[in-house]
Amino acid sequence: MPARPDSTASPFAGELFRALADEGRLTLTAGQADAAIAGLELTLSEVRARLRILRSRDQTSPGRTGELSDDVVDAVFADQLAPGRMELAMVEIPKYIEALRRARRSL
């Protein structure tokens, strides 16, 4: 039976990516870096939106029910599957963006 991954280990490596970029071991063309940064910025925007949904939901009265939007269902489901990961992503994704900016080289 394969070993189970450690559930306490972070799936992020923002600090490692920054170090690799600083050492020159992570380099990307301007186009590659720009595309990756754009994707990460979009992901970060989605994470922020989900966290806003979760926070506003936490502030509503617990007995309140009703029709839930797909965005609310998605945010709550993601948080139930991996509690706290969105908060961690809010801290880590900017590190990746910074690393990619450092690794960007123009020709």
Side-chain angles (χ1 to χ4, degrees):
M1 177 181 283
R4 296 180 69 189
D6 181 1
S7 63
T8 61
S10 174
F12 299 101
E15 294 298 330
L16 173 63
F17 272 68
R18 285 198 293 203
L20 291 172
D22 288 344
E23 294 168 6
R25 295 169 48 190
L26 173 64
T27 59
L28 298 157
T29 66
Q32 290 170 323
D34 292 346
I37 289 167
L40 285 171
E41 287 174 341
L42 185 61
T43 300
L44 186 57
S45 176
E46 180 66 27
V47 168
R48 284 185 182 126
R50 285 183 175 190
L51 283 172
R52 275 192 303 275
I53 289 168
L54 290 173
R55 288 179 183 137
S56 69
R57 184 164 161 71
D58 288 344
Q59 294 171 359
T60 60
S61 59
R64 186 173 169 227
T65 60
E67 200 168 312
L68 298 175
S69 72
D70 289 343
D71 290 339
V72 171
V73 172
D74 288 345
V76 171
F77 185 68
D79 190 54
Q80 287 177 343
L81 286 178
R85 293 294 183 166
M86 281 189 271
E87 288 86 354
L88 183 57
M90 279 289 297
V91 172
E92 290 292 320
I93 292 173
K95 293 177 185 178
Y96 283 93
I97 293 170
E98 182 184 343
L100 292 170
R101 286 190 175 124
R102 293 178 184 181
R104 185 182 189 274
R105 59 188 160 100
S106 47
L107 301 175

